Amino acid sequence: MNALHVRHLHHRFGLQEVLHDVGFDLFAGQSLALVGPSGCGKSTLLQAVAGLLEPSRMVMQNDFRGLGYMFQQPNLMPWLTARDNLALGLKALGVPKPARQRQADSLGQRLGLALDDLDKYPHQLSGGMQSRISLGRALAVSPDLLLLDEPFSALDVGLKLELYALLREQIAQRGCAVLLITHDLMEAVRLADRILLMAPEPGRVVREFELTLPQAERSEAWIHQTTGQLMENTEVRIAFGLQAGTLAIAESHDHGATHTGCKV
Amino acid sequence: MKGPWYRVQSALAAILTYLWSGWGAIASLLLFCALWEWGAQLNGPLVLPGPQATLAQLWHMLDSGLAQPELIISTRRTLQGLGASLLIGSALGLLAGRSLTAAMLSRPLITLLLGMPPIAWLVLAMLWFGMGDTTPVFTVFIACFPIVFAGAMQGARTLDNQLRRVAQAYRLPWRMQLTDLYLPHVMSYLIPAWITALGTSWKVVVMAELLSTTDGVGAALAVSRSQLDTASSLAWVVAVLALLLAAEYLLLEPLKRRVERWRLETEQ
Amino acid sequence: MSWQARLEALLQCGYRPFFLLSAASACCLMLFWLTLLNGWINWQPPGGMVLWHVHELLFGFAGAAIAGFLLTAVPEFTETANLPRTVLVRLALLWLLARVLYLLSPFWPASLALLPVALVNLLFWLLLLWHLLPRLWQHAGRMHLSFAWVVASLALLQLASLLANSLGGDPMAWLRAASGVLMMLIVIATRRISVNLVNGLIEEGRPGAPPPINSYLPRPPRSYLALFCIGLCSAVELWLGHNSITGWTALAAAAAMLNVLNDWHIGRALFTRWALLLYAGYWLIALGYAAMGASWLGAPLTTSAGRHLLTSGAAALSILAVMAVVGRIHAGLWLDRRPWLPLCALGLIIAAVLRALAGVPGLPIRALFSAAGLVWAGCFVAYLVAARGGLIAPRADGKTGCAAPLEHNAREGGC
């Protein structure tokens, strides 16, 4: 089975230690959420995994081939039409033009974009449509690992729910692994099979939660209730600064031994 | 599917639309002619011939075959100097923009070069190259170079890091990075710089010729000045301005619109 | 139908009496002018007959059309009540009195000159402004106030012209300026109408009408540039007269009008009779200014050739278009699809071109004058015949007032 294993990930920006001995595993078809407050090094971690950043130290084994990356902002190329933006990754893979345009058109339609809109440039599209294209761009390359860097944090509630549904549908169809980072617990509860809680200064993993209920069976009520339960967890409250206290910094930890899974 | 006939049609329509949108500029030029005519009527034809007299003189100069050779000589010099500065300035500017150190190093030099009056370069060029063809070409080059260099450097410096990450995350090959990331961004800085350089180049070439050569529009202006022939002088000026306007609005502006069509609000 | 019923119908909406007067005066004034030109009648008003011709066509024919348009459009634009009948009657009587007084002017003491005519005309404009200005002023944003400025400047220019005639000046110079203001009014007014007309919004409720489009969107800076150039040209002409400076400003006005046409080049949607009517009017303004500019810069043609492209061409065509549209929609009828309208429009264009050709040296002036005048007057006879229903007949839908057709109202949530 394809998997991503990360161990002993350390990173420093100048004198500041941003990530301290982070490790986790992600297996094909699973979705893993890294949750933590702003500034706990989540984005850095994701960039290290994607190879956009050279960490100070890391042991990584990555069997996944295709990679889809959805950024915090849509980050579309302003000089490419929506269609060409959707097909950017396909073009990089060398898919010939007619084929990639066909794929972009059908993907765009599945994401709720009209053919007219696909001819437009990003600045002519609303924020919601730009986010759809950003999601489409990540899905177009048929990734077996999807990296999501808080892509929904700036969207309104209605749009968020719509994009969650789209995302879940696509993941279910393609069976790709998802690595999601977010500061929104409820988002994590909604989308993830496992949640890793991160704490800042230095950024590290402090706790793992497992959600056993299949995503298709998660109701809104269950999501709210589970999020509420997590919010009452002491470590979560400390990590997000809702409660005074300190969380131990492991000198050097062996993943899986320090945090035993906690079933919710 | 959209056939080739449809493409030809829409291209023709786009060209017509573009040309037709020039009427606003023409209206503005005609208003300027009214102002000019007013000045001419106040000062008399010896001091300031009106637009009609000037155009008639220009027509006469073109008709008698007097103007064309001079215009061609000046145009060639401009294109040589400008072409060199566009090529070298753009290339060096882009390279300088890639490196923070090079940018730091070149910024004060650019300020220096931009601040140097072209007439000073001209004097140096006359000392170095004498009264030949090289002097105006060099002066044009050195006057335009810092403008283009600064534009190119700015373009390369301001590329959005986020977009660079996108290119990296999706493993864009280097050729695609060039065509889909660097060039479209850099062009939106380069083209305005090129347009400014074009305007500068014409001004400088006429000035350089006036002082350093025996042929070209500048030299012809010197002759008409010595003969107190205001109408001919103005006719030469109008000819140069017409060439400049044509180059900008028939060449560079369409190119700019083509390159920057992703910025335009009014695309249907 | 009884006279009372006809009168009742005629006075139910502001455009009705004035479009009737405008079209009727167009025919009468033009035919009378032709008889004067050919010397069949000897009638010498103070200031001469050319002054009469210009003055009456500008302030009689076009003036009535302007009044009719504003009396209908201003209540609609400002969402205020229609004007009461008594006001319409008073205005119409003042307008008629002004025309009659000018005709009688040769028969009173020469010392009075045109002063009575000036007084009655001034009263007409003042009464019109008295009723319209408060609405335009109080409307949110005062976005239609330019109409008031145009009416006020027309009134002032008319007064100046008639006073110049008595006090010793060039009355024609002021009338030429007034023709420039009329062109500005055309640009201002047709811009407001054209958005609804070209995009098909005006007939949105008509069963079987094509769905509205949104491809026509006039850009204000373009028409402001045109208005500025036209205004400047008139001002310079008033100041310097026949001068090449005036010529360059006229050419600038022509170019600015051609620039406005950028708004109109929207592909297939332009090729409807309504769009083409207004579009042709803009072209005529551009050509007229181009011809006048050429004349001022020394081309061998008279200025009046170009001027007639503006007045007998652009102004008459725009007035016909406005009368044909406003006079239907506000009578509760859908737009007129009969062939008389394009034929009349073509007639007006031909008449304007014939009249312009009379300004080119070497062509038979008399014949061209007469042909142009007859075709031109004929077009307005055709309008009177074809559109009489919307002017003097009661509304077919049983309503009264200026409301648009039923379905149209339903869309806007009226009852």
Side-chain angles (χ1 to χ4, degrees), chain C residues 307-349:
Chain C
R307 182 105 49 203
H308 277 85
L309 284 178
L310 299 184
T311 51
S312 63
L317 192 64
S318 307
I319 287 172
L320 179 77
V322 168
M323 293 202 302
V325 173
V326 175
R328 294 280 293 193
I329 289 298
H330 291 281
L333 300 166
W334 295 117
L335 294 178
D336 201 330
R337 321 199 90 74
R338 290 172 294 173
W340 71 270
L341 185 60
L343 287 177
C344 276
L346 199 63
L348 287 180
I349 294 173

mmCIF file of all heavy atoms in Angstrom, chain C residues 307-349:
data_model
loop_
_atom_site.group_PDB
_atom_site.id
_atom_site.type_symbol
_atom_site.label_atom_id
_atom_site.label_comp_id
_atom_site.label_asym_id
_atom_site.label_seq_id
_atom_site.Cartn_x
_atom_site.Cartn_y
_atom_site.Cartn_z
ATOM 1 N N ARG C 307 -24.116 72.219 -41.935
ATOM 2 C CA ARG C 307 -25.093 72.548 -40.884
ATOM 3 C C ARG C 307 -26.417 71.837 -41.150
ATOM 4 O O ARG C 307 -27.095 71.400 -40.228
ATOM 5 C CB ARG C 307 -25.310 74.062 -40.845
ATOM 6 C CG ARG C 307 -26.256 74.509 -39.786
ATOM 7 C CD ARG C 307 -25.585 75.139 -38.609
ATOM 8 N NE ARG C 307 -24.627 76.138 -39.031
ATOM 9 C CZ ARG C 307 -23.603 76.528 -38.288
ATOM 10 N NH1 ARG C 307 -23.424 75.992 -37.098
ATOM 11 N NH2 ARG C 307 -22.758 77.425 -38.728
ATOM 12 N N HIS C 308 -26.795 71.720 -42.424
ATOM 13 C CA HIS C 308 -28.068 71.053 -42.708
ATOM 14 C C HIS C 308 -27.988 69.553 -42.500
ATOM 15 O O HIS C 308 -29.012 68.918 -42.267
ATOM 16 C CB HIS C 308 -28.547 71.411 -44.110
ATOM 17 C CG HIS C 308 -29.269 72.717 -44.133
ATOM 18 N ND1 HIS C 308 -28.620 73.914 -44.236
ATOM 19 C CD2 HIS C 308 -30.596 73.005 -44.014
ATOM 20 C CE1 HIS C 308 -29.501 74.904 -44.200
ATOM 21 N NE2 HIS C 308 -30.717 74.379 -44.068
ATOM 22 N N LEU C 309 -26.757 68.974 -42.581
ATOM 23 C CA LEU C 309 -26.642 67.559 -42.197
ATOM 24 C C LEU C 309 -26.970 67.408 -40.720
ATOM 25 O O LEU C 309 -27.539 66.409 -40.286
ATOM 26 C CB LEU C 309 -25.233 67.049 -42.476
ATOM 27 C CG LEU C 309 -24.868 66.761 -43.926
ATOM 28 C CD1 LEU C 309 -23.425 66.324 -44.030
ATOM 29 C CD2 LEU C 309 -25.781 65.696 -44.506
ATOM 30 N N LEU C 310 -26.608 68.438 -39.932
ATOM 31 C CA LEU C 310 -26.925 68.401 -38.498
ATOM 32 C C LEU C 310 -28.403 68.593 -38.237
ATOM 33 O O LEU C 310 -29.018 67.828 -37.489
ATOM 34 C CB LEU C 310 -26.159 69.508 -37.758
ATOM 35 C CG LEU C 310 -24.638 69.475 -37.793
ATOM 36 C CD1 LEU C 310 -24.093 70.602 -36.930
ATOM 37 C CD2 LEU C 310 -24.135 68.146 -37.279
ATOM 38 N N THR C 311 -28.967 69.649 -38.856
ATOM 39 C CA THR C 311 -30.336 70.025 -38.498
ATOM 40 C C THR C 311 -31.371 69.204 -39.263
ATOM 41 O O THR C 311 -32.095 68.411 -38.668
ATOM 42 C CB THR C 311 -30.546 71.517 -38.749
ATOM 43 O OG1 THR C 311 -30.111 71.814 -40.083
ATOM 44 C CG2 THR C 311 -29.736 72.338 -37.783
ATOM 45 N N SER C 312 -31.390 69.389 -40.597
ATOM 46 C CA SER C 312 -32.425 68.653 -41.340
ATOM 47 C C SER C 312 -32.097 67.167 -41.369
ATOM 48 O O SER C 312 -32.971 66.348 -41.594
ATOM 49 C CB SER C 312 -32.551 69.204 -42.760
ATOM 50 O OG SER C 312 -31.345 69.005 -43.461
ATOM 51 N N GLY C 313 -30.842 66.809 -41.116
ATOM 52 C CA GLY C 313 -30.489 65.391 -41.060
ATOM 53 C C GLY C 313 -30.593 64.843 -39.656
ATOM 54 O O GLY C 313 -31.610 64.265 -39.270
ATOM 55 N N ALA C 314 -29.536 65.054 -38.848
ATOM 56 C CA ALA C 314 -29.450 64.416 -37.537
ATOM 57 C C ALA C 314 -30.621 64.783 -36.632
ATOM 58 O O ALA C 314 -31.252 63.901 -36.034
ATOM 59 C CB ALA C 314 -28.132 64.792 -36.865
ATOM 60 N N ALA C 315 -30.921 66.103 -36.531
ATOM 61 C CA ALA C 315 -31.974 66.509 -35.607
ATOM 62 C C ALA C 315 -33.311 65.929 -36.038
ATOM 63 O O ALA C 315 -34.052 65.349 -35.230
ATOM 64 C CB ALA C 315 -32.041 68.033 -35.524
ATOM 65 N N ALA C 316 -33.645 66.071 -37.335
ATOM 66 C CA ALA C 316 -34.943 65.579 -37.799
ATOM 67 C C ALA C 316 -35.047 64.064 -37.619
ATOM 68 O O ALA C 316 -36.079 63.544 -37.173
ATOM 69 C CB ALA C 316 -35.153 65.952 -39.258
ATOM 70 N N LEU C 317 -33.970 63.358 -37.912
ATOM 71 C CA LEU C 317 -34.000 61.899 -37.796
ATOM 72 C C LEU C 317 -34.174 61.485 -36.333
ATOM 73 O O LEU C 317 -34.977 60.601 -36.020
ATOM 74 C CB LEU C 317 -32.693 61.325 -38.363
ATOM 75 C CG LEU C 317 -32.665 59.831 -38.588
ATOM 76 C CD1 LEU C 317 -33.678 59.452 -39.641
ATOM 77 C CD2 LEU C 317 -31.271 59.377 -39.027
ATOM 78 N N SER C 318 -33.432 62.138 -35.441
ATOM 79 C CA SER C 318 -33.555 61.781 -34.023
ATOM 80 C C SER C 318 -34.944 62.113 -33.514
ATOM 81 O O SER C 318 -35.522 61.365 -32.714
ATOM 82 C CB SER C 318 -32.508 62.516 -33.196
ATOM 83 O OG SER C 318 -31.237 62.301 -33.740
ATOM 84 N N ILE C 319 -35.477 63.257 -33.986
ATOM 85 C CA ILE C 319 -36.829 63.628 -33.552
ATOM 86 C C ILE C 319 -37.839 62.594 -34.052
ATOM 87 O O ILE C 319 -38.707 62.134 -33.299
ATOM 88 C CB ILE C 319 -37.179 65.049 -34.050
ATOM 89 C CG1 ILE C 319 -36.384 66.073 -33.231
ATOM 90 C CG2 ILE C 319 -38.667 65.313 -33.941
ATOM 91 C CD1 ILE C 319 -36.493 67.485 -33.743
ATOM 92 N N LEU C 320 -37.682 62.181 -35.294
ATOM 93 C CA LEU C 320 -38.591 61.152 -35.834
ATOM 94 C C LEU C 320 -38.478 59.871 -35.003
ATOM 95 O O LEU C 320 -39.496 59.270 -34.640
ATOM 96 C CB LEU C 320 -38.240 60.865 -37.294
ATOM 97 C CG LEU C 320 -39.117 59.788 -37.949
ATOM 98 C CD1 LEU C 320 -40.488 60.363 -38.302
ATOM 99 C CD2 LEU C 320 -38.466 59.200 -39.196
ATOM 100 N N ALA C 321 -37.246 59.492 -34.681
ATOM 101 C CA ALA C 321 -37.049 58.268 -33.905
ATOM 102 C C ALA C 321 -37.716 58.380 -32.545
ATOM 103 O O ALA C 321 -38.450 57.482 -32.105
ATOM 104 C CB ALA C 321 -35.563 57.986 -33.737
ATOM 105 N N VAL C 322 -37.479 59.509 -31.873
ATOM 106 C CA VAL C 322 -38.052 59.688 -30.533
ATOM 107 C C VAL C 322 -39.581 59.717 -30.623
ATOM 108 O O VAL C 322 -40.269 59.085 -29.816
ATOM 109 C CB VAL C 322 -37.507 60.982 -29.891
ATOM 110 C CG1 VAL C 322 -38.296 61.334 -28.657
ATOM 111 C CG2 VAL C 322 -36.037 60.816 -29.565
ATOM 112 N N MET C 323 -40.111 60.440 -31.620
ATOM 113 C CA MET C 323 -41.567 60.513 -31.743
ATOM 114 C C MET C 323 -42.146 59.134 -32.020
ATOM 115 O O MET C 323 -43.190 58.761 -31.476
ATOM 116 C CB MET C 323 -41.955 61.490 -32.857
ATOM 117 C CG MET C 323 -41.603 62.928 -32.533
ATOM 118 S SD MET C 323 -42.537 64.179 -33.458
ATOM 119 C CE MET C 323 -42.167 63.783 -35.129
ATOM 120 N N ALA C 324 -41.446 58.353 -32.858
ATOM 121 C CA ALA C 324 -41.972 57.033 -33.207
ATOM 122 C C ALA C 324 -41.928 56.085 -32.011
ATOM 123 O O ALA C 324 -42.814 55.252 -31.852
ATOM 124 C CB ALA C 324 -41.179 56.444 -34.373
ATOM 125 N N VAL C 325 -40.911 56.206 -31.158
ATOM 126 C CA VAL C 325 -40.807 55.302 -30.012
ATOM 127 C C VAL C 325 -41.680 55.781 -28.852
ATOM 128 O O VAL C 325 -42.562 55.063 -28.372
ATOM 129 C CB VAL C 325 -39.340 55.188 -29.552
ATOM 130 C CG1 VAL C 325 -39.258 54.383 -28.267
ATOM 131 C CG2 VAL C 325 -38.500 54.540 -30.634
ATOM 132 N N VAL C 326 -41.434 57.023 -28.423
ATOM 133 C CA VAL C 326 -42.159 57.547 -27.258
ATOM 134 C C VAL C 326 -43.657 57.576 -27.538
ATOM 135 O O VAL C 326 -44.475 57.231 -26.681
ATOM 136 C CB VAL C 326 -41.633 58.956 -26.909
ATOM 137 C CG1 VAL C 326 -42.440 59.571 -25.783
ATOM 138 C CG2 VAL C 326 -40.170 58.879 -26.535
ATOM 139 N N GLY C 327 -44.011 57.982 -28.783
ATOM 140 C CA GLY C 327 -45.416 58.118 -29.129
ATOM 141 C C GLY C 327 -46.146 56.788 -29.212
ATOM 142 O O GLY C 327 -47.373 56.753 -29.272
ATOM 143 N N ARG C 328 -45.434 55.676 -29.226
ATOM 144 C CA ARG C 328 -46.105 54.373 -29.217
ATOM 145 C C ARG C 328 -46.161 53.818 -27.808
ATOM 146 O O ARG C 328 -47.227 53.474 -27.303
ATOM 147 C CB ARG C 328 -45.335 53.372 -30.100
ATOM 148 C CG ARG C 328 -45.332 53.688 -31.552
ATOM 149 C CD ARG C 328 -46.596 53.276 -32.239
ATOM 150 N NE ARG C 328 -46.768 51.835 -32.281
ATOM 151 C CZ ARG C 328 -47.666 51.227 -33.038
ATOM 152 N NH1 ARG C 328 -48.464 51.958 -33.811
ATOM 153 N NH2 ARG C 328 -47.787 49.927 -33.031
ATOM 154 N N ILE C 329 -44.975 53.734 -27.192
ATOM 155 C CA ILE C 329 -44.887 53.093 -25.880
ATOM 156 C C ILE C 329 -45.783 53.793 -24.862
ATOM 157 O O ILE C 329 -46.494 53.152 -24.091
ATOM 158 C CB ILE C 329 -43.418 53.093 -25.402
ATOM 159 C CG1 ILE C 329 -42.607 52.120 -26.242
ATOM 160 C CG2 ILE C 329 -43.317 52.729 -23.940
ATOM 161 C CD1 ILE C 329 -43.051 50.674 -26.146
ATOM 162 N N HIS C 330 -45.816 55.144 -24.909
ATOM 163 C CA HIS C 330 -46.612 55.863 -23.919
ATOM 164 C C HIS C 330 -48.066 55.989 -24.319
ATOM 165 O O HIS C 330 -48.855 56.616 -23.624
ATOM 166 C CB HIS C 330 -45.981 57.222 -23.630
ATOM 167 C CG HIS C 330 -44.689 57.087 -22.903
ATOM 168 N ND1 HIS C 330 -44.626 56.840 -21.555
ATOM 169 C CD2 HIS C 330 -43.409 57.086 -23.339
ATOM 170 C CE1 HIS C 330 -43.358 56.732 -21.190
ATOM 171 N NE2 HIS C 330 -42.595 56.863 -22.255
ATOM 172 N N ALA C 331 -48.413 55.405 -25.476
ATOM 173 C CA ALA C 331 -49.835 55.302 -25.814
ATOM 174 C C ALA C 331 -50.320 53.882 -25.537
ATOM 175 O O ALA C 331 -51.413 53.504 -25.927
ATOM 176 C CB ALA C 331 -50.044 55.652 -27.279
ATOM 177 N N GLY C 332 -49.484 53.088 -24.883
ATOM 178 C CA GLY C 332 -49.875 51.721 -24.564
ATOM 179 C C GLY C 332 -49.761 50.772 -25.745
ATOM 180 O O GLY C 332 -50.380 49.716 -25.743
ATOM 181 N N LEU C 333 -48.972 51.139 -26.748
ATOM 182 C CA LEU C 333 -48.816 50.278 -27.917
ATOM 183 C C LEU C 333 -47.383 49.766 -27.974
ATOM 184 O O LEU C 333 -46.455 50.448 -27.522
ATOM 185 C CB LEU C 333 -49.092 51.071 -29.200
ATOM 186 C CG LEU C 333 -50.482 51.684 -29.323
ATOM 187 C CD1 LEU C 333 -50.494 52.697 -30.448
ATOM 188 C CD2 LEU C 333 -51.503 50.585 -29.580
ATOM 189 N N TRP C 334 -47.185 48.579 -28.567
ATOM 190 C CA TRP C 334 -45.830 48.122 -28.808
ATOM 191 C C TRP C 334 -45.246 48.871 -29.991
ATOM 192 O O TRP C 334 -45.949 49.572 -30.707
ATOM 193 C CB TRP C 334 -45.804 46.608 -29.051
ATOM 194 C CG TRP C 334 -46.220 45.854 -27.830
ATOM 195 C CD1 TRP C 334 -47.304 45.058 -27.695
ATOM 196 C CD2 TRP C 334 -45.573 45.865 -26.564
ATOM 197 N NE1 TRP C 334 -47.383 44.551 -26.424
ATOM 198 C CE2 TRP C 334 -46.327 45.033 -25.711
ATOM 199 C CE3 TRP C 334 -44.432 46.487 -26.060
ATOM 200 C CZ2 TRP C 334 -45.983 44.813 -24.375
ATOM 201 C CZ3 TRP C 334 -44.091 46.263 -24.733
ATOM 202 C CH2 TRP C 334 -44.853 45.438 -23.901
ATOM 203 N N LEU C 335 -43.939 48.742 -30.188
ATOM 204 C CA LEU C 335 -43.262 49.547 -31.209
ATOM 205 C C LEU C 335 -43.823 49.253 -32.601
ATOM 206 O O LEU C 335 -44.358 48.192 -32.872
ATOM 207 C CB LEU C 335 -41.761 49.270 -31.175
ATOM 208 C CG LEU C 335 -41.067 49.719 -29.896
ATOM 209 C CD1 LEU C 335 -39.599 49.352 -29.935
ATOM 210 C CD2 LEU C 335 -41.230 51.218 -29.702
ATOM 211 N N ASP C 336 -43.658 50.248 -33.469
ATOM 212 C CA ASP C 336 -44.224 50.206 -34.802
ATOM 213 C C ASP C 336 -43.318 49.373 -35.716
ATOM 214 O O ASP C 336 -42.150 49.685 -35.871
ATOM 215 C CB ASP C 336 -44.317 51.648 -35.330
ATOM 216 C CG ASP C 336 -45.330 51.753 -36.443
ATOM 217 O OD1 ASP C 336 -45.505 50.754 -37.166
ATOM 218 O OD2 ASP C 336 -45.947 52.825 -36.569
ATOM 219 N N ARG C 337 -43.849 48.312 -36.308
ATOM 220 C CA ARG C 337 -43.009 47.484 -37.172
ATOM 221 C C ARG C 337 -43.362 47.664 -38.652
ATOM 222 O O ARG C 337 -42.945 46.886 -39.493
ATOM 223 C CB ARG C 337 -43.135 46.002 -36.793
ATOM 224 C CG ARG C 337 -43.225 45.751 -35.319
ATOM 225 C CD ARG C 337 -42.907 44.338 -34.948
ATOM 226 N NE ARG C 337 -41.487 44.187 -34.696
ATOM 227 C CZ ARG C 337 -40.860 44.636 -33.617
ATOM 228 N NH1 ARG C 337 -41.529 45.290 -32.682
ATOM 229 N NH2 ARG C 337 -39.571 44.465 -33.452
ATOM 230 N N ARG C 338 -44.156 48.690 -38.966
ATOM 231 C CA ARG C 338 -44.560 48.877 -40.359
ATOM 232 C C ARG C 338 -43.430 49.514 -41.156
ATOM 233 O O ARG C 338 -42.531 50.151 -40.595
ATOM 234 C CB ARG C 338 -45.817 49.750 -40.412
ATOM 235 C CG ARG C 338 -47.046 49.019 -39.866
ATOM 236 C CD ARG C 338 -48.227 49.956 -39.754
ATOM 237 N NE ARG C 338 -48.018 50.990 -38.750
ATOM 238 C CZ ARG C 338 -48.846 52.010 -38.563
ATOM 239 N NH1 ARG C 338 -49.902 52.146 -39.316
ATOM 240 N NH2 ARG C 338 -48.606 52.895 -37.626
ATOM 241 N N PRO C 339 -43.501 49.361 -42.504
ATOM 242 C CA PRO C 339 -42.364 49.830 -43.320
ATOM 243 C C PRO C 339 -42.260 51.340 -43.464
ATOM 244 O O PRO C 339 -41.234 51.831 -43.923
ATOM 245 C CB PRO C 339 -42.622 49.165 -44.680
ATOM 246 C CG PRO C 339 -44.070 48.873 -44.699
ATOM 247 C CD PRO C 339 -44.491 48.612 -43.297
ATOM 248 N N TRP C 340 -43.293 52.102 -43.051
ATOM 249 C CA TRP C 340 -43.197 53.544 -43.287
ATOM 250 C C TRP C 340 -42.022 54.146 -42.542
ATOM 251 O O TRP C 340 -41.372 55.083 -43.018
ATOM 252 C CB TRP C 340 -44.495 54.262 -42.873
ATOM 253 C CG TRP C 340 -44.722 54.315 -41.387
ATOM 254 C CD1 TRP C 340 -45.391 53.389 -40.637
ATOM 255 C CD2 TRP C 340 -44.262 55.310 -40.477
ATOM 256 N NE1 TRP C 340 -45.375 53.745 -39.325
ATOM 257 C CE2 TRP C 340 -44.687 54.934 -39.189
ATOM 258 C CE3 TRP C 340 -43.527 56.496 -40.610
ATOM 259 C CZ2 TRP C 340 -44.393 55.680 -38.051
ATOM 260 C CZ3 TRP C 340 -43.248 57.237 -39.475
ATOM 261 C CH2 TRP C 340 -43.678 56.834 -38.206
ATOM 262 N N LEU C 341 -41.702 53.580 -41.370
ATOM 263 C CA LEU C 341 -40.696 54.220 -40.528
ATOM 264 C C LEU C 341 -39.301 54.170 -41.165
ATOM 265 O O LEU C 341 -38.660 55.215 -41.323
ATOM 266 C CB LEU C 341 -40.714 53.583 -39.138
ATOM 267 C CG LEU C 341 -39.790 54.234 -38.130
ATOM 268 C CD1 LEU C 341 -40.146 55.692 -37.915
ATOM 269 C CD2 LEU C 341 -39.824 53.501 -36.813
ATOM 270 N N PRO C 342 -38.803 52.975 -41.557
ATOM 271 C CA PRO C 342 -37.496 52.989 -42.232
ATOM 272 C C PRO C 342 -37.503 53.805 -43.514
ATOM 273 O O PRO C 342 -36.512 54.459 -43.840
ATOM 274 C CB PRO C 342 -37.224 51.508 -42.515
ATOM 275 C CG PRO C 342 -38.443 50.763 -42.163
ATOM 276 C CD PRO C 342 -39.272 51.609 -41.289
ATOM 277 N N LEU C 343 -38.650 53.780 -44.235
ATOM 278 C CA LEU C 343 -38.721 54.573 -45.464
ATOM 279 C C LEU C 343 -38.589 56.063 -45.153
ATOM 280 O O LEU C 343 -37.874 56.801 -45.837
ATOM 281 C CB LEU C 343 -40.046 54.292 -46.198
ATOM 282 C CG LEU C 343 -40.104 52.920 -46.882
ATOM 283 C CD1 LEU C 343 -41.470 52.699 -47.519
ATOM 284 C CD2 LEU C 343 -39.013 52.831 -47.945
ATOM 285 N N CYS C 344 -39.311 56.514 -44.096
ATOM 286 C CA CYS C 344 -39.230 57.933 -43.724
ATOM 287 C C CYS C 344 -37.826 58.291 -43.274
ATOM 288 O O CYS C 344 -37.309 59.370 -43.595
ATOM 289 C CB CYS C 344 -40.217 58.234 -42.599
ATOM 290 S SG CYS C 344 -41.843 58.563 -43.231
ATOM 291 N N ALA C 345 -37.206 57.380 -42.514
ATOM 292 C CA ALA C 345 -35.847 57.658 -42.054
ATOM 293 C C ALA C 345 -34.927 57.829 -43.251
ATOM 294 O O ALA C 345 -34.130 58.776 -43.320
ATOM 295 C CB ALA C 345 -35.365 56.520 -41.160
ATOM 296 N N LEU C 346 -35.088 56.925 -44.203
ATOM 297 C CA LEU C 346 -34.282 57.011 -45.422
ATOM 298 C C LEU C 346 -34.569 58.324 -46.147
ATOM 299 O O LEU C 346 -33.642 59.006 -46.626
ATOM 300 C CB LEU C 346 -34.622 55.823 -46.327
ATOM 301 C CG LEU C 346 -33.598 55.503 -47.388
ATOM 302 C CD1 LEU C 346 -32.285 55.092 -46.747
ATOM 303 C CD2 LEU C 346 -34.115 54.390 -48.302
ATOM 304 N N GLY C 347 -35.864 58.700 -46.179
ATOM 305 C CA GLY C 347 -36.258 59.962 -46.825
ATOM 306 C C GLY C 347 -35.554 61.145 -46.179
ATOM 307 O O GLY C 347 -35.028 62.028 -46.867
ATOM 308 N N LEU C 348 -35.523 61.161 -44.847
ATOM 309 C CA LEU C 348 -34.885 62.283 -44.151
ATOM 310 C C LEU C 348 -33.393 62.337 -44.461
ATOM 311 O O LEU C 348 -32.825 63.416 -44.661
ATOM 312 C CB LEU C 348 -35.099 62.158 -42.640
ATOM 313 C CG LEU C 348 -36.510 62.460 -42.139
ATOM 314 C CD1 LEU C 348 -36.601 62.296 -40.638
ATOM 315 C CD2 LEU C 348 -36.915 63.882 -42.524
ATOM 316 N N ILE C 349 -32.770 61.156 -44.521
ATOM 317 C CA ILE C 349 -31.333 61.132 -44.826
ATOM 318 C C ILE C 349 -31.091 61.642 -46.242
ATOM 319 O O ILE C 349 -30.212 62.468 -46.489
ATOM 320 C CB ILE C 349 -30.778 59.703 -44.648
ATOM 321 C CG1 ILE C 349 -30.860 59.300 -43.176
ATOM 322 C CG2 ILE C 349 -29.340 59.620 -45.129
ATOM 323 C CD1 ILE C 349 -30.502 57.853 -42.916
#
